[in-house]
Amino acid sequence: MGTGERTQLALVQANSRLGDTAANLEAVLETIGEEVSAGSQLIVFPELTLSGYFLKDLTQDCALRLDGPELERLRRAAGSASVLLGLVLESPDFEFHNAAVLISGGEVQLVHRKVYLPTYGLFDEHRYVASGDRFQVVEVPLGGGQSWRLGVLICEDLWHPSAAYLLSRQRADLILCPSASPGRGVAEAEAELGSAATYGAMLRTYAELFTVFVAYCNRVGFEDGFHFWGGSRVLGPDGKLLAGPLDDGPGVLRCALDRRELRRARIAAPLLRDEREGLVRRQLERPPRG
Amino acid sequence: MADLAIKPELVAGILRQFVREEVLKVGARGVVVAVSGGIDSALSARLGVDALGPEAVTAVAMPYRESEPASLADAQLLARQLGLELQVLEITEQIDAYFRRFPEADRARRGNKMARERMSVLYDISSTRSALVLGTSNKSEILLGYSTLWGDAAYALNPLGDLYKTQVFQLARHLGLPQPILDKPPSADLFPGQSDEAELGFSYAQADQVLFHLVDERRSPEEVGELGFDEGLVERVWRRVRASQFKRRPPLLAKLSSRSVEQDFRYPRDWGY
């Protein structure tokens, strides 16, 4: 009893070949095949898996279209599994986005276009891609006849708590976080890499405060001297670590998610029920005075 | 005081992976590194060996007749510890032949010529071995401009470029590099008795603190002074950083066309691999 409440999640913590969409597509198709055989029902890849991250002027060369042959192959390969995949997406009017596409039931169910494009420090995203305009939850069946409400935050989206909040208000069950986070901060005083510590704190906070499953899937490898630190992990709706974190090498993190955890967590801490959404709306519209 | 202490095992792991991945990515078979007997080149060579194995690392010592004999002895000590065969290629002949035409040349000019001669030898060997030149400049030297342009500052990849000198010492101690190399004062060894810290006019321990606040923490020189650092020291350090900016950037081109290399033809270095 209860197996219908569970789904098998696989986070594919992989390297990509920078700018080589064809090679990356073949690797992704092979992995999808392996994960489908292994019984994974939701397969998540890192941010910009099909292109690599620090693309600069390669951005346009690596862009794919939703109606292109690559998406067609991915939809067929997914079969009855669901797949979340990061890529540069080109719109019919020639805008480019850092996007993640959720394929389920052989169709694209959600396209999340990264809203927060870091353009400071070592990042330069907004020079090359356009910003998305929404955070959206979709409901997809993930085996056993149960539907799951999924939302996506790509890397820098996580640094804006309003993004996770908006997914929470749409009653997300699971927030998927594909990422290409370069590692920095090697101070002895820290327990781990500085960027890993920050992500760890954010992911845990969102999982616990929004009583939601959170799955973080980061890149590994090097691009132009930048080190992607991996650390993929799954957190339960009580904020506890369910699987991972992986180290900074390639690997697949598999984890069974049980929807009954959501129920238990939300009974123990009914934070979603108690949230004063109307108050938030009113105060954003009209900040209180005095 | 800023805490410049690093987690050495974390840093060593990242740098080993960096060297390994960047070398294999471009299809090279290994690295070639100039081993002077000093701590920077010893650490670079060690990371190369840890990343690729001793058979993939070509270590070259290039002494000049005035180089400290202890430097070559220390390079040999390191090579033995790492299981490397040290190639010793003395550069005295070509340096002396050149300067016979310019007997008036001062020691700075001679030192720069030696550094560039060593670079030239390294790149020659690198092409015969299908190996990348592994750099040995640390973040302190790079920021202070304490290097020879197209000399020791020329390389394909550099595992030490984001470590201050004091952090290089920390990592080198953690990895157990030979004690004589850890103990001696830093020197470019371009003329007898040379000392980095005497030439710079401040110690690396002082400069690293100031650089960390100015660069990593983005404080203004005034703010660093307010932290209790000597204002003259802060000013000297910051002036060196500004004055050596040209050493850290590619050469200038005059923009004429609609798309120019370095200005708006922007591809990652990894493009093509």
Side-chain angles (χ1 to χ4, degrees):
Chain A
M1 189 190 122
T3 52
E5 308 275 345
R6 292 207 186 97
T7 191
Q8 293 293 333
L9 172 67
L11 305 181
V12 183
Q13 177 173 292
N15 200 345
S16 296
R17 285 175 65 94
L18 186 61
D20 194 343
T21 310
N24 293 327
L25 177 64
E26 293 309 320
V28 162
L29 289 167
E30 193 181 325
T31 304
I32 291 175
E34 287 164 7
E35 286 309 307
V36 167
S37 303
S40 298
Q41 290 162 318
L42 173 57
I43 307 159
V44 178
F45 291 87
E47 177 181 13
L48 295 178
T49 296
L50 287 182
S51 58
Y53 181 70
F54 286 104
L55 292 163
K56 301 188 176 185
D57 280 4
L58 286 170
T59 303
Q60 297 81 15
D61 301 349
C62 291
L64 303 178
R65 290 182 50 138
L66 272 181
D67 58 2
E70 298 87 357
L71 260 294
E72 166 74 23
R73 288 183 69 193
L74 287 162
R75 287 194 289 115
R76 271 192 277 123
S80 62
S82 298
V83 174
L84 183 79
L85 190 71
L87 74 172
V88 181
L89 206 57
E90 179 170 353
S91 72
D93 55 349
F94 316 115
E95 277 201 354
F96 301 87
H97 287 92
N98 177 341
V101 171
L102 178 68
I103 297 167
S104 188
E107 297 296 332
V108 173
Q109 303 292 347
L110 173 70
V111 179
H112 176 62
R113 294 172 177 86
K114 188 175 185 177
V115 171
Y116 291 107
L117 304 173
T119 307
Y120 59 84
L122 62 97
F123 301 105
D124 209 8
E125 284 191 39
H126 213 347
R127 179 183 168 93
Y128 301 102
V129 292
S131 171
D133 63 0
R134 71 195 62 186
F135 295 101
Q136 189 185 349
V137 166
V138 290
E139 194 165 304
V140 297
L142 291 181
Q146 283 282 344
S147 285
W148 286 68
R149 296 181 61 77
L150 305 183
V152 178
L153 299 176
I154 302 177
C155 211
E156 185 84 358
D157 288 337
L158 281 163
W159 290 68
H160 294 260
S162 58
Y165 181 78
L166 291 170
L167 293 179
S168 167
R169 296 324 295 162
Q170 296 169 69
R171 293 298 189 272
D173 300 321
L174 168 58
I175 298 179
L176 302 172
C177 311
S179 180
S181 169
R184 53 230 189 267
V186 291
E188 190 179 38
E190 301 289 330
E192 54 186 335
L193 199 62
S195 22
T198 307
Y199 271 93
M202 290 192 298
L203 296 164
R204 191 211 150 113
T205 303
Y206 293 158
E208 188 170 3
L209 299 192
F210 297 128
T211 48
V212 65
F213 287 102
V214 173
Y216 178 73
C217 185
N218 193 19
R219 266 283 303 276
V220 292
F222 284 80
E223 285 179 7
D224 275 15
F226 293 105
H227 162 240
F228 298 108
W229 54 274
S232 297
R233 67 195 71 188
V234 183
L235 297 106
D238 54 0
K240 298 217 168 63
L241 207 54
L242 287 178
L246 296 179
D247 61 13
D248 61 353
V252 177
L253 185 65
R254 299 198 185 105
C255 181
L257 305 185
D258 188 333
R259 282 184 57 83
R260 293 171 299 183
E261 297 286 331
L262 290 167
R263 183 170 186 269
R264 291 198 306 110
R266 289 175 190 181
I267 292 170
L271 305 175
L272 300 191
R273 180 197 71 189
D274 295 349
E275 176 62 23
R276 301 279 302 276
E277 196 179 308
L279 181 152
V280 173
R281 199 172 278 138
R282 274 199 310 282
Q283 291 216 347
L284 286 176
E285 288 289 326
R286 224 153 27 106
R289 288 162 195 262
Chain B
M1 291 285 278
D3 186 6
L4 291 179
I6 51 167
K7 292 176 94 62
E9 65 287 353
L10 176 68
V11 171
I14 292 171
L15 296 180
R16 276 194 294 268
Q17 270 192 68
F18 164 72
V19 171
R20 183 176 166 75
E21 203 170 304
E22 295 298 342
V23 167
L24 298 181
K25 191 187 285 176
V26 302
R29 284 206 284 267
V31 293
V32 51
V33 57
V35 174
S36 67
I39 192 162
D40 299 306
S41 59
L43 182 57
S44 256
R46 168 66 192 264
L47 291 166
V49 168
D50 287 353
L52 300 160
E55 65 289 343
V57 176
T58 304
V60 191
M62 293 168 280
Y64 176 67
R65 60 181 164 79
E66 291 182 343
S67 300
E68 292 285 346
S71 298
L72 183 59
D74 288 341
Q76 281 160 336
L77 181 63
L78 176 83
R80 274 199 300 281
Q81 189 195 67
L82 300 183
L84 293 171
E85 191 187 323
L86 185 68
Q87 283 202 46
V88 181
L89 299 170
E90 208 180 310
I91 58 167
T92 302
E93 238 177 277
Q94 57 262 52
I95 294 297
D96 285 350
Y98 181 78
F99 282 111
R100 270 196 289 277
R101 285 188 257 172
F102 305 104
E104 75 286 3
D106 63 12
R107 64 190 190 185
R109 186 173 162 194
R110 287 170 190 270
N112 282 332
K113 180 79 174 111
M114 287 178 223
R116 293 190 182 108
E117 183 58 31
R118 290 180 177 125
M119 176 278 295
S120 167
V121 171
L122 283 183
Y123 272 87
D124 178 58
I125 293 176
S126 83
S127 67
T128 67
R129 304 260 171 130
S130 181
L132 298 183
V133 174
L134 194 64
T136 62
S137 301
N138 59 64
K139 188 172 184 174
S140 311
E141 287 175 352
I142 293 172
L143 283 169
L144 296 169
Y146 192 65
S147 64
T148 298
L149 188 63
W150 317 124
D152 53 311
Y155 39 76
L157 74 162
N158 178 4
L160 310 189
D162 206 16
L163 290 173
Y164 288 111
K165 185 80 176 190
T166 44
Q167 297 171 325
V168 165
F169 271 104
Q170 204 188 330
L171 188 56
R173 275 195 302 271
H174 170 77
L175 292 174
L177 292 186
Q179 202 60 40
I181 293 177
L182 296 174
D183 287 344
K184 66 183 170 188
S187 168
D189 197 14
L190 292 171
F191 54 84
Q194 188 180 17
S195 149
D196 287 11
E197 295 180 337
E199 266 195 310
L200 287 165
F202 41 74
S203 71
Y204 281 118
Q206 294 172 307
D208 287 358
Q209 289 281 331
V210 171
L211 287 169
F212 177 80
H213 286 296
L214 289 168
V215 176
D216 297 63
E217 299 282 287
R218 299 174 190 261
R219 289 193 167 88
S220 68
E222 294 71 33
E223 288 171 323
V224 179
E226 285 166 23
L227 293 174
F229 290 94
D230 177 74
E231 283 174 21
L233 169 71
V234 176
E235 174 52 32
R236 286 205 306 284
V237 167
W238 197 227
R239 199 181 325 123
R240 279 202 73 113
V241 173
R242 289 199 310 271
S244 59
Q245 175 65 358
F246 71 98
K247 291 189 178 182
R248 293 182 291 270
R249 302 295 307 156
L252 290 179
L253 315 175
K255 182 162 178 67
L256 296 171
S257 68
S258 64
R259 200 173 183 208
S260 320
V261 176
E262 282 314 320
Q263 290 156 343
D264 35 28
F265 179 76
R266 298 189 182 201
Y267 287 90
R269 187 179 162 109
D270 279 356
W271 184 30
Y273 294 111

